[in-house]
C-alpha cells in the first residue's frame, strides 16, 4: 500500500485512472449495441441472433477471451450514420477447448456491409490467424461492399479481395477455416465461405449467390427468387456448394463446436511455461501508481511487479541505461522478456541526470542487447510503452544517438520470437517505433485508457503548428493580436489532442483495442498461447549493426 506521504497523490491518480476506465466501459457499451436496439429487435424477429450473441453461444463458457477492434470505425463515416466496431466483431477465444479466432458480421450495421475499416479489421483477424497458425471461424451475414465507398474497398492490395487471397494461402498452410452462412452472402463475398475448408448454411435465413434475384433479372432477364437462387436447399441438395444444412443459428453454431472438437493437436513452438501465479502485489494499485499527469515521474518497476507472476522480476543491467528497464519474468506462467520505459529522473553511469520517458544511447544499447538475448533463449518479448522519444541535442548527437537508436530498432525489427506491446502512457515519435509500435508487427498491441499516440506531445506540436499558421496568416497581410494567437493555439491544441486519444488510434486499428489495465495479463498470456501454435523456423539475424 502507498505510504502516508504519498497517499494523496495515490488517491488522485486512482480517481483519474478509474474515471478513464469508466469512460472505456461506457464507450464499449455504446459500440456493442451495433446499429442500435431497434435493429437488434428486427434481427431477433427474423429468428436470427446478433453477431455478439452468436460468438457468445459459440465460445466455451467461463473461458477467457479478448476482443480485437472493438472501437474500429469509432467516430468515422458520420455522413453515412457511422460504422460501430467496423460492422463486425472479432474475438480470440476457445471453442471446444481449442483456441480460435472468430469473425462475425454485424447485420445491424448497414446489413453487415463492408466499409474500408471493415476490410482492414477482417484482414487484421486473418493476419493474427496466419501469424499464429490459429483456426479461424467466419460467421457470415453481410450485404457485401458498401457501394458509396466501393472505390476505397474494392481494388487495392489491402482491400476486400485480399481476404480471398488469404483464404487460399491459409488453406495451403493447413490453417483450419470454417464458415457459416447465417444471413446474406452476396457477390464477391460469396467466395469467402466457399474458399474455407468447410461451409454450412442456415435454412431459410442464409443465402449465397454471386448475384441476387433483382440483378439476375436485370442482367439476363430470368425471373427467380433469392431462396431458389441460393438458399440452403439449393446449395446443400442441388449445387453441393455448402456442406451442412442447419435448422437455425444455434444448430449451426453447435455443429461448428462439434467439428472443432475433432481437430487434431498442433506442434507447439515450445515457449517455456510454469504453473501460473497471481502477482504477490495488488494489481488494483496500478490505478494509483500511474500518474494522472503525463509529466510526473513514477517507477515502472512498480507497474511491472503488479503484472508479473508472484511479482518476481529478474532485472537485466539494472545500473546501466536507466531510462529503459529490462528483465525476465513470468505472466500467467509464460516466460517473458520485458522492455519498459522508465518515466523517472535518474543518474547516468557518468553521474548525469537523465529525463524519464526518453531513450538515451545507453538505454538503447541495453535494450538491443536484451532483445538479442531473448531471441537466443526463445523468450517472447513484452514492450511496455511510456516514451516521449529519443534524446535530442548536441551532446546526444555527438554521442551517436542515431546509431544506438538504429541498433535497438534493428534488433527489435528482426526479432523472431513473438512480440507484444502495451501502451501505458506516452507513445511519441521514434519512441513508438523502437518500442515495437504497430509498424513492427507485434502479435498483439493494446492501449490503456491513459495512453496517447502521436509524433510528439500535444503542447509541443500545437506550438509548432501555431508558428506555421501565424506565419501563413502574416504572409497574407493579416494582423495577429495576442487574443487571436491564443484562439489559434487553443484550436490547434484541441484538434491535436483529439488525434492523440487511444480511441482515435483504436478506431483506425493502430492498436488492437483499448483495454482495462487489469486485463493486460490475459492479453499477453492468450497472445503467447496463440503464438505457441506456430514453431519458430527462422534464424535470428540482425543484419548490419554499427557498434
Amino acid at each position: 500500500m502507498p505510504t502516508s506521504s504519498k497517499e494523496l497523490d495515490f488517491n488522485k491518480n486512482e480517481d483519474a485512472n478509474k474515471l478513464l476506465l469508466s469512460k472505456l466501459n461506457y464507450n464499449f457499451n455504446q459500440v456493442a449495441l451495433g446499429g442500435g436496439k431497434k435493429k437488434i429487435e428486427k434481427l431477433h424477429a427474423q429468428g436470427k441472433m446478433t453477431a455478439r450473441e452468436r460468438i457468445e453461444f459459440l465460445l466455451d463458457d467461463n473461458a477467457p477471451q479478448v476482443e480485437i477492434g472493438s472501437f474500429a470505425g469509432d467516430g468515422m463515416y458520420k455522413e453515412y450514420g457511422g460504422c460501430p466496431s467496423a460492422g463486425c466483431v472479432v474475438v480470440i477465444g476457445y471453442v471446444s477447448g481449442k483456441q480460435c479466432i472468430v469473425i462475425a458480421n454485424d447485420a445491424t450495421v448497414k446489413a453487415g456491409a463492408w466499409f474500408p475499416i471493415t476490410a482492414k479489421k477482417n484482414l487484421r483477424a486473418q493476419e493474427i490467424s496466419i501469424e499464429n497458425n490459429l483456426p479461424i471461424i467466419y460467421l457470415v451475414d453481410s450485404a457485401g461492399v458498401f457501394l458509396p465507398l466501393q472505390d476505397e474497398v474494392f481494388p487495392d492490395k489491402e482491400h476486400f479481395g485480399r481476404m480471398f487471397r488469404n483464404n487460399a494461402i491459409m488453406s495451403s498452410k493447413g490453417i483450419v477455416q470454417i464458415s457459416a452462412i447465417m444471413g446474406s452472402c452476396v457477390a464477391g463475398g460469396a467466395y469467402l465461405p466457399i474458399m474455407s475448408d468447410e461451409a454450412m448454411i442456415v435454412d431459410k435465413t442464409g443465402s449465397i449467390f454471386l448475384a441476387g434475384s433483382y440483378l439476375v433479372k436485370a442482367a439476363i432477364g430470368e425471373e427467380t427468387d433469392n431462396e431458389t437462387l441460393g438458399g440452403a436447399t439449393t446449395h446443400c441438395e442441388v449445387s453441393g456448394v455448402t456442406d451442412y444444412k442447419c435448422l437455425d443459428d444455434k444448430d449451426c453454431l453447435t455443429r461448428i463446436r462439434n467439428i472443432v472438437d475433432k481437430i487434431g493437436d498442433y506442434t507447439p513452438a515450445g515457449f517455456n511455461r510454469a504453473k501460473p501465479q497471481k502477482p504477490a502485489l495488488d494489481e488494483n494499485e496500478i490505478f494509483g501508481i500511474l500518474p494522472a499527469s503525463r509529466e510526473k515521474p513514477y517507477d515502472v518497476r512498480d507497474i511491472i511487479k503488479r503484472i508479473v507472476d508472484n511479482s518476481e522480476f529478474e532485472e537485466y543491467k539494472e545500473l546501466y541505461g536507466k531510462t529503459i528497464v529490462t528483465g525476465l519474468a513470468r505472466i500467467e506462467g509464460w516466460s517473458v522478456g520485458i522492455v519498459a520505459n522508465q518515466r523517472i529522473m535518474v543518474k547516468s553511469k557518468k553521474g548525469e541526470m537523465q529525463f524519464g520517458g526518453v531513450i538515451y544511447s545507453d538505454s538503447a544499447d541495453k535494450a538491443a542487447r536484451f532483445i538479442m538475448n531473448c531471441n537466443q533463449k526463445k523468450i517472447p518479448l513484452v514492450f511496455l510503452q511510456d516514451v516521449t522519444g529519443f534524446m535530442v541535442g548536441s551532446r546526444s548527437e555527438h554521442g551517436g544517438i542515431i546509431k544506438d537508436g538504429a541498433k535497438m530498432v534493428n534488433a527489435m525489427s528482426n526479432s523472431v520470437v513473438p512480440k507484444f506491446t502495451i501502451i501505458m502512457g506516452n507513445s511519441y515519435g521514434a519512441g513508438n517505433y523502437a518500442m515495437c509500435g504497430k509498424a513492427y508487427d507485434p502479435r498483439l498491441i493494446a492501449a490503456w485508457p491513459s495512453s496517447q499516440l502521436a509524433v510528439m506531445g500535444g503542447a509541443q506540436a500545437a506550438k509548432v503548428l501555431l508558428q506555421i499558421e501565424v506565419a501563413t496568416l502574416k504572409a497574407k497581410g493579416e494582423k495577429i493580436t495576442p487574443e487571436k494567437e491564443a484562439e489559434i493555439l487553443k484550436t490547434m491544441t484541441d484538434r491535436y489532442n483529439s488525434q492523440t486519444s487511444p480511441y482515435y488510434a483504436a478506431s483506425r486499428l493502430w492498436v488492437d483495442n483499448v483495454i482495462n489495465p487489469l486485463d493486460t495479463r490475459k492479453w499477453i498470456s492468450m497472445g503467447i498461447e496463440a503464438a505457441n501454435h506456430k514453431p519458430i523456423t527462422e534464424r535470428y539475424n540482425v543484419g548490419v549493426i554499427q557498434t
Side-chain angles (χ1 to χ4, degrees):
M1 290 295 296
T3 61
S4 57
S5 61
K6 296 181 180 178
E7 192 170 349
L8 185 59
D9 280 345
F10 184 95
N11 291 339
K12 285 181 178 178
N13 294 339
E14 186 175 46
D15 288 345
N17 285 311
K18 287 194 172 179
L19 277 174
L20 292 174
L21 181 59
S22 294
K23 181 182 177 183
L24 168 62
N25 293 332
Y26 174 82
N27 289 346
F28 174 76
N29 289 334
Q30 293 300 110
V31 299
L33 288 172
K37 292 181 179 179
K38 288 186 177 180
K39 293 286 181 67
I40 292 172
E41 289 170 3
K42 184 178 178 181
L43 210 63
H44 287 163
Q46 296 170 357
K48 296 164 69 174
M49 303 165 75
T50 67
R52 293 184 181 278
E53 289 168 345
R54 287 166 174 168
I55 291 176
E56 183 181 4
F57 187 90
L58 177 63
L59 296 181
D60 295 349
D61 293 335
N62 302 317
Q65 57 180 262
V66 298
E67 183 171 340
I68 304 296
S70 301
F71 301 104
D74 186 38
M76 299 168 67
Y77 314 113
K78 291 179 180 179
E79 65 272 35
Y80 301 108
C83 187
S85 289
C88 62
V89 183
V90 175
V91 173
I92 303 173
Y94 298 85
V95 178
S96 298
K98 294 182 172 63
Q99 195 178 41
C100 302
I101 186 162
V102 184
I103 307 174
N105 298 118
D106 187 348
T108 70
V109 180
K110 294 289 187 294
W114 286 61
F115 284 69
I117 195 64
T118 314
K120 187 173 183 178
K121 183 171 175 177
N122 277 261
L123 290 172
R124 174 60 179 146
Q126 287 188 325
E127 180 182 42
I128 292 170
S129 174
I130 293 168
E131 285 179 331
N132 300 291
N133 281 355
L134 209 59
I136 189 166
I137 299 166
Y138 308 97
L139 307 181
V140 184
D141 193 347
S142 172
V145 167
F146 186 64
L147 289 178
L149 295 173
Q150 65 85 27
D151 61 321
E152 299 178 44
V153 184
F154 169 63
D156 209 349
K157 180 179 178 180
E158 301 301 332
H159 284 178
F160 191 45
R162 188 75 171 184
M163 288 277 295
F164 318 133
R165 176 264 186 194
N166 286 350
N167 286 142
I169 297 299
M170 292 160 74
S171 182
S172 73
K173 293 178 180 293
I175 298 171
V176 174
Q177 299 178 84
I178 300 171
S179 286
I181 302 158
M182 309 183 78
S184 297
C185 185
V186 300
Y191 287 107
L192 185 146
I194 308 311
M195 292 187 74
S196 300
D197 303 318
E198 292 178 281
M200 53 200 70
I201 185 170
V202 178
D203 194 22
K204 300 298 185 288
T205 57
S207 60
I208 177 170
F209 33 66
L210 293 181
S213 55
Y214 292 117
L215 186 56
V216 167
K217 184 178 180 180
I220 63 174
E222 180 185 350
E223 293 275 0
T224 185
D225 61 81
N226 286 344
E227 184 64 25
T228 303
L229 191 65
T233 299
T234 294
H235 286 309
C236 288
E237 299 180 23
V238 181
S239 71
V241 166
T242 51
D243 306 310
Y244 305 91
K245 184 179 183 180
C246 306
L247 297 173
D248 53 26
D249 280 10
K250 290 185 178 180
D251 179 45
C252 180
L253 297 167
T254 300
R255 285 171 182 261
I256 295 174
R257 289 183 57 81
N258 293 339
I259 291 169
V260 174
D261 179 60
K262 313 299 187 299
I263 296 174
D265 210 351
Y266 59 88
T267 302
F271 302 122
N272 183 276
R273 192 177 197 186
K275 183 180 178 180
Q277 298 182 62
K278 289 190 173 295
L281 299 174
D282 186 357
E283 296 174 72
N284 286 286
E285 291 181 353
I286 288 173
F287 295 110
I289 293 167
L290 192 69
S293 167
R294 314 201 77 77
E295 285 75 39
K296 284 194 175 180
Y298 68 97
D299 193 335
V300 75
R301 296 176 187 86
D302 292 334
I303 300 287
I304 292 171
K305 289 177 181 179
R306 286 161 177 81
I307 291 175
V308 301
D309 289 13
N310 206 32
S311 301
E312 294 176 349
F313 180 59
E314 192 71 32
E315 190 164 350
Y316 171 80
K317 287 186 178 287
E318 179 181 357
L319 304 177
Y320 178 72
K322 293 184 179 181
T323 63
I324 287 184
V325 171
T326 54
L328 301 176
R330 291 188 183 275
I331 293 178
E332 292 289 349
W334 295 105
S335 171
V336 295
I338 295 174
V339 181
N341 301 113
Q342 177 68 304
R343 200 206 292 179
I344 195 168
M345 294 294 287
V346 295
K347 281 188 177 182
S348 71
K349 196 174 181 181
K350 298 176 182 178
E352 300 164 335
M353 293 302 295
Q354 295 187 340
F355 297 98
V358 181
I359 302 175
Y360 287 77
S361 288
D362 53 357
S363 302
D365 174 68
K366 176 173 82 170
R369 290 172 183 270
F370 180 71
I371 290 166
M372 293 179 203
N373 285 345
C374 287
N375 274 272
Q376 187 177 37
K377 296 172 181 145
K378 201 157 77 170
I379 298 174
L381 287 159
V382 174
F383 293 84
L384 301 178
Q385 284 197 15
D386 192 351
V387 59
T388 52
F390 285 88
M391 190 60 191
V392 296
S394 58
R395 181 176 299 216
S396 292
E397 298 293 359
H398 296 168
I401 186 65
I402 297 175
K403 176 184 67 178
D404 291 315
K407 185 192 303 182
M408 179 179 173
V409 172
N410 199 330
M412 179 274 300
S413 300
N414 286 295
S415 180
V416 296
V417 297
K419 300 170 293 196
F420 303 89
T421 302
I422 304 295
I423 305 174
M424 306 184 302
N426 301 317
S427 180
Y428 297 155
N432 170 280
Y433 299 160
M435 292 292 293
C436 196
K438 183 67 183 292
Y440 293 84
D441 297 325
R443 296 294 177 96
L444 294 174
I445 176 170
W448 288 1
S450 50
S451 66
Q452 287 190 351
L453 288 80
V455 170
M456 63 179 73
Q460 301 95 310
K463 288 175 182 176
V464 173
L465 292 168
L466 173 66
Q467 290 173 7
I468 295 170
E469 181 69 11
V470 168
T472 302
L473 293 173
K474 285 182 177 179
K476 294 178 179 179
E478 292 191 32
K479 185 178 179 181
I480 308 299
T481 64
E483 292 77 15
K484 178 68 173 177
E485 188 169 313
E487 181 186 334
I488 295 171
L489 179 60
K490 185 180 184 304
T491 301
M492 297 290 183
T493 302
D494 291 347
R495 186 176 66 193
Y496 195 86
N497 284 342
S498 71
Q499 294 176 354
T500 67
S501 159
Y503 299 102
Y504 190 91
S507 71
R508 289 150 180 80
L509 286 172
W510 302 341
V511 296
D512 289 320
N513 223 333
V514 184
I515 67 168
N516 183 338
L518 300 185
D519 286 335
T520 300
R521 283 168 54 81
K522 179 177 69 173
W523 270 72
I524 294 169
S525 175
M526 288 189 67
I528 298 175
E529 182 180 348
N532 204 40
H533 283 69
K534 186 172 185 178
I536 297 173
T537 57
E538 300 172 83
R539 179 177 174 272
Y540 184 56
N541 187 337
V542 295
V544 177
I545 291 185
Q546 294 185 353
T547 57

